[in-house]
């Protein structure tokens, strides 16, 4: 909620990247919003003997330049 303005001329175009081991998933880009919500499902292959951290990255999509990092969080399933 209340995402920062990340583009010089426009609003925020946020999306999430999820990383679990070698697997990488990305949500749909929400164009021109500051309060984004996603209702998407991803299936992770989790072996019971090797639980890895789930890394979440909140990113701002840019057409003409590199993607901006708005924040990140690591969920440690062992904690």
């Amino acid at each position: 909620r209340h995402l920062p303005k990340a583009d010089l001329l426009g609003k925020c175009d946020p999306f999430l990247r999820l990383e679990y081991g070698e697997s990488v998933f990305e949500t749909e880009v929400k164009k021109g919003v500051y309060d984004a919500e996603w209702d998407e499902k991803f299936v992770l292959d989790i072996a019971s003997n090797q639980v890895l951290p789930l890394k979440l990255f909140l990113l701002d999509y840019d057409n003409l330049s590199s993607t901006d990092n708005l924040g990140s969080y690591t969920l440690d399933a062992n904690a």
Side-chain angles (χ1 to χ4, degrees):
R1 295 199 165 237
H2 309 292
L3 299 174
K5 180 178 177 182
D7 297 335
L8 183 61
L9 300 174
K11 293 184 176 181
C12 192
D13 303 319
F15 69 101
L16 290 172
R17 175 179 293 142
L18 296 83
E19 297 179 2
Y20 183 78
E22 302 276 326
S23 300
V24 177
F25 304 94
E26 291 184 352
T27 65
E28 168 188 359
V29 174
K30 300 291 185 173
K31 293 285 189 174
V33 298
Y34 293 113
D35 293 326
E37 291 185 19
W38 293 271
D39 186 20
E40 300 181 35
K41 296 178 183 173
F42 301 98
V43 177
L44 303 174
D45 185 18
I46 301 173
S48 61
N49 61 343
Q50 184 184 11
V51 179
L52 302 171
L54 175 63
K55 298 177 183 178
L56 307 167
F57 299 92
L58 178 60
L59 305 165
D60 177 62
Y61 177 79
D62 288 316
N63 240 355
L64 303 175
S65 63
S66 62
T67 300
D68 297 318
N69 185 359
L70 300 175
S72 63
Y73 184 79
T74 299
L75 179 64
D76 186 0
N78 293 317

Coordinates of all heavy atoms in Angstrom, one line a residue:
R1 N 0.8 -1.2 0.0 CA 0.0 0.0 0.0 C 0.9 1.2 0.0 O 2.0 1.2 0.5 CB -0.9 0.0 1.2 CG -1.9 -1.1 1.2 CD -3.1 -0.9 2.1 NE -4.1 -1.8 1.7 CZ -5.3 -1.5 1.3 NH1 -5.6 -0.3 1.3 NH2 -6.1 -2.4 0.9
H2 N 0.3 2.3 -0.6 CA 1.0 3.6 -0.6 C 2.4 3.5 -1.2 O 3.4 3.9 -0.6 CB 1.0 4.2 0.8 CG -0.3 4.3 1.4 ND1 -1.4 5.0 0.9 CD2 -0.8 3.6 2.5 CE1 -2.4 4.9 1.7 NE2 -2.1 4.0 2.6
L3 N 2.5 2.9 -2.4 CA 3.8 2.7 -3.0 C 4.3 4.1 -3.5 O 3.6 5.0 -3.8 CB 3.7 1.8 -4.2 CG 3.2 0.4 -3.9 CD1 2.9 -0.4 -5.2 CD2 4.2 -0.3 -3.1
P4 N 5.7 4.2 -3.5 CA 6.2 5.5 -3.9 C 6.1 5.7 -5.4 O 6.0 4.8 -6.2 CB 7.7 5.4 -3.5 CG 8.0 3.9 -3.5 CD 6.7 3.2 -3.1
K5 N 6.1 7.0 -5.8 CA 6.2 7.3 -7.2 C 7.6 6.9 -7.7 O 8.6 7.4 -7.2 CB 6.0 8.8 -7.5 CG 6.0 9.2 -8.9 CD 5.7 10.6 -9.1 CE 5.9 11.0 -10.6 NZ 5.6 12.4 -10.8
A6 N 7.7 6.0 -8.6 CA 9.0 5.5 -9.0 C 9.4 5.9 -10.4 O 10.6 5.9 -10.8 CB 9.0 3.9 -9.0
D7 N 8.5 6.4 -11.2 CA 8.8 6.9 -12.5 C 8.8 8.4 -12.6 O 8.1 9.1 -11.9 CB 7.7 6.4 -13.5 CG 7.7 4.9 -13.6 OD1 8.7 4.3 -13.3 OD2 6.6 4.3 -14.0
L8 N 9.6 9.0 -13.4 CA 9.8 10.4 -13.5 C 8.5 11.1 -14.0 O 8.1 12.1 -13.5 CB 10.9 10.7 -14.5 CG 11.3 12.2 -14.6 CD1 11.7 12.8 -13.3 CD2 12.4 12.4 -15.6
L9 N 7.8 10.5 -15.0 CA 6.7 11.1 -15.6 C 5.4 10.4 -15.3 O 4.3 10.8 -15.7 CB 6.8 11.2 -17.1 CG 8.0 12.0 -17.6 CD1 8.2 11.9 -19.1 CD2 7.9 13.4 -17.2
G10 N 5.4 9.3 -14.6 CA 4.2 8.5 -14.4 C 4.0 8.0 -13.0 O 4.8 8.3 -12.1
K11 N 3.0 7.1 -12.9 CA 2.8 6.5 -11.6 C 3.6 5.2 -11.5 O 4.4 4.9 -12.4 CB 1.3 6.2 -11.4 CG 0.4 7.4 -11.4 CD -1.0 7.0 -11.1 CE -1.9 8.2 -10.9 NZ -3.3 7.9 -10.7
C12 N 3.4 4.5 -10.4 CA 4.1 3.3 -10.1 C 3.5 2.2 -11.0 O 2.2 2.1 -11.1 CB 4.0 3.0 -8.6 SG 5.1 1.7 -8.1
D13 N 4.3 1.3 -11.5 CA 3.8 0.1 -12.2 C 4.4 -1.1 -11.5 O 5.3 -1.8 -12.1 CB 4.3 0.1 -13.7 CG 3.8 1.4 -14.4 OD1 2.7 1.8 -14.2 OD2 4.6 2.0 -15.2
P14 N 3.8 -1.5 -10.4 CA 4.4 -2.5 -9.6 C 4.1 -4.0 -10.0 O 3.1 -4.2 -10.6 CB 3.8 -2.3 -8.2 CG 2.5 -1.7 -8.5 CD 2.7 -0.9 -9.7
F15 N 5.0 -4.8 -9.7 CA 4.8 -6.3 -9.8 C 5.7 -7.0 -8.8 O 6.6 -6.4 -8.2 CB 5.1 -6.8 -11.2 CG 6.6 -6.8 -11.7 CD1 7.3 -7.9 -11.6 CD2 7.1 -5.6 -12.1 CE1 8.7 -7.9 -12.0 CE2 8.5 -5.5 -12.5 CZ 9.2 -6.7 -12.5
L16 N 5.4 -8.2 -8.5 CA 6.2 -9.0 -7.5 C 7.0 -10.1 -8.2 O 6.5 -10.7 -9.2 CB 5.2 -9.7 -6.5 CG 4.6 -8.8 -5.5 CD1 3.5 -9.6 -4.7 CD2 5.6 -8.2 -4.6
R17 N 8.2 -10.3 -7.8 CA 9.0 -11.4 -8.2 C 9.2 -12.3 -7.0 O 9.6 -11.9 -5.9 CB 10.3 -11.0 -8.8 CG 11.3 -12.2 -9.1 CD 12.6 -11.7 -9.7 NE 12.3 -11.1 -11.0 CZ 13.0 -10.0 -11.4 NH1 14.0 -9.5 -10.7 NH2 12.8 -9.5 -12.6
L18 N 8.9 -13.6 -7.2 CA 9.1 -14.6 -6.1 C 10.2 -15.5 -6.5 O 10.2 -16.0 -7.6 CB 7.8 -15.4 -5.8 CG 6.6 -14.6 -5.3 CD1 5.9 -13.9 -6.5 CD2 5.7 -15.5 -4.6
E19 N 11.1 -15.8 -5.6 CA 12.2 -16.7 -5.9 C 12.3 -17.8 -4.8 O 12.3 -17.5 -3.6 CB 13.6 -16.0 -6.0 CG 13.6 -15.0 -7.1 CD 14.9 -14.2 -7.1 OE1 15.8 -14.5 -6.3 OE2 15.1 -13.3 -8.0
Y20 N 12.3 -19.0 -5.3 CA 12.4 -20.2 -4.4 C 13.4 -21.1 -5.0 O 13.1 -21.8 -6.0 CB 11.1 -20.8 -4.1 CG 11.2 -22.0 -3.1 CD1 11.3 -21.7 -1.7 CD2 11.3 -23.3 -3.5 CE1 11.4 -22.7 -0.8 CE2 11.4 -24.3 -2.6 CZ 11.5 -24.0 -1.3 OH 11.6 -25.0 -0.3
G21 N 14.6 -21.1 -4.5 CA 15.7 -22.0 -5.1 C 15.9 -21.5 -6.5 O 16.2 -20.3 -6.8
E22 N 15.8 -22.4 -7.4 CA 16.0 -22.1 -8.9 C 14.8 -21.6 -9.5 O 14.8 -21.1 -10.6 CB 16.5 -23.4 -9.6 CG 17.8 -24.0 -9.1 CD 19.0 -23.3 -9.6 OE1 19.0 -22.9 -10.8 OE2 20.0 -23.2 -8.9
S23 N 13.6 -21.7 -8.9 CA 12.3 -21.2 -9.4 C 12.1 -19.7 -9.3 O 12.4 -19.2 -8.2 CB 11.2 -22.0 -8.8 OG 11.3 -23.4 -9.0
V24 N 11.7 -19.1 -10.3 CA 11.4 -17.7 -10.3 C 10.0 -17.5 -10.9 O 9.7 -18.0 -12.0 CB 12.4 -16.8 -11.1 CG1 12.0 -15.4 -11.1 CG2 13.8 -17.0 -10.5
F25 N 9.1 -16.7 -10.2 CA 7.8 -16.4 -10.7 C 7.6 -14.9 -10.6 O 8.2 -14.2 -9.8 CB 6.7 -17.1 -9.7 CG 6.9 -18.5 -9.6 CD1 7.6 -19.1 -8.5 CD2 6.3 -19.4 -10.5 CE1 7.8 -20.4 -8.4 CE2 6.5 -20.8 -10.4 CZ 7.2 -21.3 -9.3
E26 N 6.8 -14.4 -11.5 CA 6.5 -13.0 -11.5 C 5.0 -12.8 -11.7 O 4.3 -13.5 -12.5 CB 7.2 -12.2 -12.6 CG 8.7 -12.1 -12.4 CD 9.4 -11.3 -13.4 OE1 8.8 -10.9 -14.4 OE2 10.6 -11.1 -13.2
T27 N 4.4 -11.8 -11.0 CA 3.0 -11.5 -11.1 C 2.8 -10.6 -12.3 O 3.8 -10.1 -12.9 CB 2.5 -10.8 -9.9 OG1 3.1 -9.5 -9.7 CG2 2.7 -11.6 -8.6
E28 N 1.6 -10.3 -12.6 CA 1.2 -9.3 -13.6 C 1.6 -7.9 -13.1 O 1.6 -7.6 -11.9 CB -0.4 -9.4 -13.7 CG -1.0 -8.3 -14.5 CD -2.5 -8.4 -14.4 OE1 -3.1 -9.3 -13.8 OE2 -3.2 -7.5 -15.0
V29 N 2.0 -7.1 -14.1 CA 2.3 -5.7 -13.8 C 1.0 -4.9 -13.6 O 0.1 -5.0 -14.5 CB 3.2 -5.0 -14.9 CG1 3.4 -3.6 -14.6 CG2 4.5 -5.8 -15.0
K30 N 0.9 -4.2 -12.5 CA -0.3 -3.3 -12.3 C 0.1 -1.9 -12.7 O 0.9 -1.2 -12.1 CB -0.7 -3.3 -10.8 CG -1.1 -4.7 -10.3 CD -2.4 -5.2 -10.9 CE -2.8 -6.5 -10.2 NZ -4.1 -6.9 -10.6
K31 N -0.5 -1.5 -13.8 CA -0.1 -0.2 -14.5 C -0.7 1.0 -13.7 O -1.9 1.0 -13.5 CB -0.5 -0.2 -15.9 CG 0.2 -1.1 -16.8 CD 1.6 -0.6 -17.1 CE 2.2 -1.5 -18.1 NZ 3.5 -1.0 -18.5
G32 N 0.1 2.0 -13.4 CA -0.3 3.2 -12.9 C -1.1 3.2 -11.6 O -2.0 4.0 -11.4
V33 N -0.6 2.4 -10.6 CA -1.3 2.4 -9.3 C -0.3 2.5 -8.2 O 0.9 2.3 -8.3 CB -2.1 1.0 -9.1 CG1 -3.1 0.9 -10.2 CG2 -1.1 -0.2 -9.1
Y34 N -0.9 3.0 -7.0 CA -0.1 3.1 -5.8 C -0.5 2.1 -4.8 O 0.2 1.9 -3.8 CB -0.2 4.5 -5.2 CG 0.5 5.6 -6.1 CD1 -0.3 6.5 -6.7 CD2 1.8 5.6 -6.3 CE1 0.2 7.5 -7.5 CE2 2.4 6.6 -7.1 CZ 1.6 7.5 -7.7 OH 2.2 8.5 -8.5
D35 N -1.6 1.5 -4.9 CA -2.2 0.5 -4.0 C -2.5 -0.8 -4.8 O -3.6 -1.0 -5.3 CB -3.4 1.0 -3.3 CG -3.1 2.1 -2.3 OD1 -2.0 2.1 -1.7 OD2 -4.0 3.0 -2.2
A36 N -1.5 -1.6 -5.0 CA -1.7 -2.8 -5.9 C -2.1 -4.0 -5.0 O -1.6 -4.2 -3.9 CB -0.4 -3.1 -6.6
E37 N -2.9 -4.9 -5.6 CA -3.2 -6.1 -5.0 C -3.2 -7.2 -6.1 O -3.5 -6.9 -7.3 CB -4.7 -6.1 -4.5 CG -4.8 -5.2 -3.2 CD -6.2 -5.3 -2.6 OE1 -6.9 -6.3 -2.9 OE2 -6.5 -4.4 -1.9
W38 N -2.7 -8.4 -5.8 CA -2.6 -9.5 -6.7 C -3.3 -10.7 -6.1 O -3.2 -11.0 -5.0 CB -1.1 -9.9 -6.9 CG -0.3 -8.8 -7.6 CD1 -0.2 -8.7 -9.0 CD2 0.5 -7.8 -7.0 NE1 0.7 -7.6 -9.2 CE2 1.1 -7.0 -8.1 CE3 0.7 -7.4 -5.7 CZ2 1.9 -6.0 -7.8 CZ3 1.5 -6.3 -5.5 CH2 2.1 -5.6 -6.5
D39 N -4.0 -11.3 -7.0 CA -4.7 -12.6 -6.6 C -4.3 -13.6 -7.6 O -5.1 -14.1 -8.4 CB -6.3 -12.4 -6.6 CG -7.0 -13.6 -6.1 OD1 -6.4 -14.4 -5.4 OD2 -8.2 -13.7 -6.4
E40 N -3.0 -14.0 -7.5 CA -2.4 -15.0 -8.4 C -1.9 -16.2 -7.6 O -1.5 -16.0 -6.4 CB -1.3 -14.4 -9.2 CG -1.8 -13.2 -10.1 CD -0.7 -12.6 -10.9 OE1 0.2 -13.3 -11.4 OE2 -0.7 -11.3 -11.1
K41 N -1.9 -17.3 -8.2 CA -1.4 -18.5 -7.5 C -0.2 -19.1 -8.2 O -0.1 -19.1 -9.5 CB -2.5 -19.6 -7.4 CG -3.7 -19.1 -6.6 CD -4.8 -20.2 -6.6 CE -6.0 -19.6 -5.9 NZ -7.1 -20.5 -5.9
F42 N 0.8 -19.5 -7.4 CA 2.0 -20.2 -8.0 C 2.2 -21.5 -7.2 O 1.9 -21.6 -6.0 CB 3.2 -19.3 -7.8 CG 3.1 -17.9 -8.5 CD1 2.7 -16.8 -7.8 CD2 3.3 -17.8 -9.8 CE1 2.6 -15.6 -8.4 CE2 3.2 -16.6 -10.4 CZ 2.8 -15.5 -9.7
V43 N 2.7 -22.5 -7.9 CA 3.0 -23.8 -7.3 C 4.5 -23.9 -7.1 O 5.2 -23.8 -8.1 CB 2.4 -24.9 -8.1 CG1 2.7 -26.3 -7.5 CG2 0.9 -24.8 -8.3
L44 N 4.9 -24.2 -5.8 CA 6.3 -24.4 -5.5 C 6.5 -25.8 -5.2 O 5.7 -26.5 -4.5 CB 6.7 -23.6 -4.3 CG 6.5 -22.1 -4.3 CD1 6.8 -21.4 -3.0 CD2 7.3 -21.4 -5.4
D45 N 7.6 -26.4 -5.7 CA 8.0 -27.8 -5.5 C 8.9 -27.7 -4.3 O 10.1 -27.4 -4.4 CB 8.7 -28.4 -6.7 CG 9.0 -29.8 -6.5 OD1 8.4 -30.5 -5.6 OD2 9.8 -30.3 -7.3
I46 N 8.4 -28.1 -3.1 CA 9.1 -28.0 -1.8 C 9.4 -29.4 -1.3 O 8.5 -30.2 -1.0 CB 8.3 -27.2 -0.8 CG1 8.1 -25.8 -1.3 CG2 9.1 -27.2 0.5 CD1 7.2 -25.0 -0.4
A47 N 10.7 -29.8 -1.3 CA 11.1 -31.1 -0.8 C 11.1 -31.0 0.8 O 11.6 -30.0 1.3 CB 12.5 -31.5 -1.3
S48 N 10.6 -32.0 1.4 CA 10.5 -32.0 2.9 C 11.9 -32.0 3.6 O 12.0 -31.5 4.7 CB 9.7 -33.2 3.4 OG 10.3 -34.4 3.0
N49 N 12.9 -32.4 2.9 CA 14.2 -32.5 3.5 C 15.1 -31.2 3.2 O 16.2 -31.1 3.6 CB 15.0 -33.7 3.1 CG 15.2 -33.8 1.6 OD1 14.5 -33.1 0.8 ND2 16.1 -34.7 1.2
Q50 N 14.5 -30.3 2.4 CA 15.3 -29.1 2.0 C 14.3 -28.0 1.8 O 13.9 -27.6 0.7 CB 16.1 -29.4 0.7 CG 16.9 -28.2 0.3 CD 17.6 -28.4 -1.0 OE1 17.3 -29.3 -1.7 NE2 18.6 -27.6 -1.3
V51 N 14.0 -27.3 2.9 CA 13.1 -26.1 2.9 C 14.0 -24.9 2.7 O 14.9 -24.6 3.5 CB 12.3 -26.0 4.1 CG1 11.4 -24.8 4.1 CG2 11.4 -27.3 4.3
L52 N 13.8 -24.2 1.6 CA 14.6 -23.0 1.3 C 13.8 -21.7 1.6 O 12.6 -21.7 1.7 CB 14.9 -23.0 -0.2 CG 15.7 -24.2 -0.7 CD1 15.7 -24.2 -2.2 CD2 17.1 -24.3 -0.1
P53 N 14.5 -20.6 1.8 CA 13.8 -19.3 2.0 C 13.1 -18.9 0.7 O 13.5 -19.1 -0.4 CB 14.9 -18.3 2.3 CG 16.2 -19.0 1.9 CD 16.0 -20.4 1.8
L54 N 11.9 -18.3 0.9 CA 11.1 -17.7 -0.2 C 11.5 -16.2 -0.2 O 11.2 -15.5 0.8 CB 9.6 -17.9 0.0 CG 8.7 -17.3 -1.0 CD1 8.9 -17.8 -2.4 CD2 7.3 -17.5 -0.5
K55 N 12.0 -15.7 -1.3 CA 12.4 -14.3 -1.5 C 11.3 -13.6 -2.3 O 11.0 -14.1 -3.4 CB 13.7 -14.2 -2.1 CG 14.9 -14.9 -1.3 CD 16.2 -14.8 -2.1 CE 17.3 -15.5 -1.3 NZ 18.5 -15.5 -2.0
L56 N 10.9 -12.5 -1.8 CA 9.9 -11.6 -2.4 C 10.5 -10.3 -2.8 O 11.1 -9.7 -1.9 CB 8.7 -11.4 -1.5 CG 8.0 -12.7 -1.0 CD1 7.1 -12.4 0.2 CD2 7.3 -13.5 -2.1
F57 N 10.3 -9.8 -4.0 CA 10.8 -8.6 -4.4 C 9.7 -7.7 -5.0 O 9.0 -8.2 -5.9 CB 11.9 -8.7 -5.5 CG 13.1 -9.5 -5.0 CD1 13.1 -10.9 -5.2 CD2 14.1 -8.9 -4.4 CE1 14.2 -11.6 -4.8 CE2 15.2 -9.6 -4.0 CZ 15.3 -11.0 -4.1
L58 N 9.5 -6.5 -4.5 CA 8.5 -5.6 -5.1 C 9.2 -4.7 -6.0 O 10.2 -4.0 -5.6 CB 7.8 -4.8 -3.9 CG 6.8 -3.8 -4.4 CD1 5.6 -4.4 -5.2 CD2 6.3 -3.0 -3.2
L59 N 8.8 -4.7 -7.3 CA 9.5 -4.0 -8.3 C 8.6 -3.1 -9.1 O 7.4 -3.3 -9.1 CB 10.2 -5.1 -9.3 CG 11.1 -6.1 -8.6 CD1 11.3 -7.2 -9.6 CD2 12.4 -5.5 -8.2
D60 N 9.2 -2.1 -9.7 CA 8.5 -1.1 -10.5 C 8.9 -1.3 -12.0 O 10.1 -1.2 -12.3 CB 8.7 0.3 -10.1 CG 8.0 1.3 -11.0 OD1 6.8 1.2 -11.1 OD2 8.7 2.1 -11.7
Y61 N 8.0 -1.7 -12.8 CA 8.3 -1.9 -14.2 C 8.5 -0.6 -15.0 O 7.8 0.3 -14.8 CB 7.1 -2.7 -14.9 CG 7.3 -2.9 -16.4 CD1 8.2 -3.9 -16.9 CD2 6.7 -2.1 -17.3 CE1 8.4 -4.1 -18.2 CE2 6.9 -2.2 -18.7 CZ 7.8 -3.2 -19.1 OH 8.0 -3.4 -20.4
D62 N 9.6 -0.6 -15.8 CA 9.9 0.6 -16.6 C 10.1 0.2 -18.0 O 10.9 -0.8 -18.3 CB 11.2 1.3 -16.1 CG 10.9 2.0 -14.8 OD1 9.9 2.7 -14.6 OD2 11.8 1.9 -13.9
N63 N 9.4 0.8 -18.9 CA 9.5 0.5 -20.4 C 10.9 0.9 -20.9 O 11.5 0.2 -21.7 CB 8.4 1.3 -21.1 CG 7.5 0.4 -21.9 OD1 7.7 -0.8 -21.9 ND2 6.5 1.0 -22.4
L64 N 11.4 2.1 -20.5 CA 12.6 2.7 -21.1 C 13.8 2.5 -20.3 O 14.9 2.8 -20.9 CB 12.3 4.2 -21.4 CG 11.1 4.5 -22.3 CD1 10.9 6.0 -22.4 CD2 11.3 3.8 -23.7
S65 N 13.7 2.1 -19.1 CA 14.9 2.0 -18.3 C 14.8 0.7 -17.5 O 13.9 -0.1 -17.6 CB 15.1 3.2 -17.3 OG 14.0 3.3 -16.4
S66 N 15.8 0.5 -16.6 CA 15.8 -0.8 -15.8 C 14.7 -0.8 -14.8 O 14.3 0.3 -14.3 CB 17.2 -0.9 -15.2 OG 17.4 0.1 -14.3
T67 N 14.4 -1.9 -14.4 CA 13.3 -2.1 -13.3 C 13.9 -1.6 -12.0 O 15.0 -1.8 -11.6 CB 13.0 -3.6 -13.2 OG1 12.5 -4.1 -14.5 CG2 12.0 -3.9 -12.1
D68 N 13.0 -0.9 -11.3 CA 13.4 -0.3 -10.0 C 13.0 -1.2 -8.8 O 11.8 -1.7 -8.8 CB 12.7 1.1 -9.7 CG 13.2 2.1 -10.8 OD1 14.4 2.1 -11.1 OD2 12.3 2.8 -11.3
N69 N 13.8 -1.4 -7.8 CA 13.5 -2.2 -6.7 C 12.8 -1.3 -5.6 O 13.4 -0.3 -5.2 CB 14.8 -2.8 -6.1 CG 14.5 -3.7 -4.9 OD1 13.4 -3.9 -4.5 ND2 15.6 -4.3 -4.4
L70 N 11.6 -1.6 -5.3 CA 10.8 -0.9 -4.3 C 10.9 -1.5 -2.9 O 10.6 -0.8 -1.9 CB 9.3 -0.8 -4.7 CG 9.1 -0.1 -6.0 CD1 7.6 -0.2 -6.4 CD2 9.5 1.3 -6.0
G71 N 11.3 -2.7 -2.8 CA 11.5 -3.4 -1.5 C 11.6 -4.9 -1.7 O 11.4 -5.4 -2.7
S72 N 12.0 -5.5 -0.6 CA 12.1 -7.0 -0.6 C 11.9 -7.6 0.8 O 12.0 -6.9 1.8 CB 13.5 -7.4 -1.1 OG 14.5 -6.9 -0.3
Y73 N 11.6 -8.9 0.8 CA 11.4 -9.6 2.0 C 11.8 -11.0 1.8 O 11.5 -11.6 0.8 CB 9.9 -9.5 2.5 CG 9.6 -10.1 3.8 CD1 10.0 -9.4 5.0 CD2 9.1 -11.4 3.9 CE1 9.7 -10.0 6.2 CE2 8.8 -12.0 5.1 CZ 9.1 -11.3 6.3 OH 8.9 -11.8 7.5
T74 N 12.4 -11.6 2.8 CA 12.7 -13.0 2.8 C 12.0 -13.8 3.9 O 12.1 -13.4 5.0 CB 14.3 -13.3 2.9 OG1 14.9 -12.6 1.9 CG2 14.6 -14.8 2.9
L75 N 11.2 -14.8 3.5 CA 10.4 -15.6 4.4 C 11.2 -16.9 4.6 O 11.4 -17.7 3.7 CB 9.1 -15.9 3.8 CG 8.1 -16.8 4.6 CD1 7.8 -16.1 5.9 CD2 6.9 -17.1 3.8
D76 N 11.7 -17.0 5.8 CA 12.5 -18.2 6.2 C 11.5 -19.2 6.8 O 11.0 -19.0 7.9 CB 13.6 -17.8 7.2 CG 14.5 -19.0 7.5 OD1 14.3 -20.1 7.0 OD2 15.4 -18.8 8.3
A77 N 11.2 -20.3 6.1 CA 10.3 -21.3 6.6 C 10.8 -22.1 7.8 O 10.0 -22.7 8.5 CB 9.9 -22.3 5.4
N78 N 12.1 -22.0 8.0 CA 12.6 -22.8 9.2 C 12.5 -22.0 10.5 O 12.8 -22.5 11.6 CB 14.1 -23.1 8.9 CG 14.3 -24.1 7.8 OD1 13.5 -25.1 7.7 ND2 15.2 -23.8 6.9
A79 N 12.2 -20.7 10.4 CA 12.1 -19.9 11.6 C 10.8 -20.1 12.4 O 9.8 -20.6 11.9 CB 12.2 -18.4 11.3

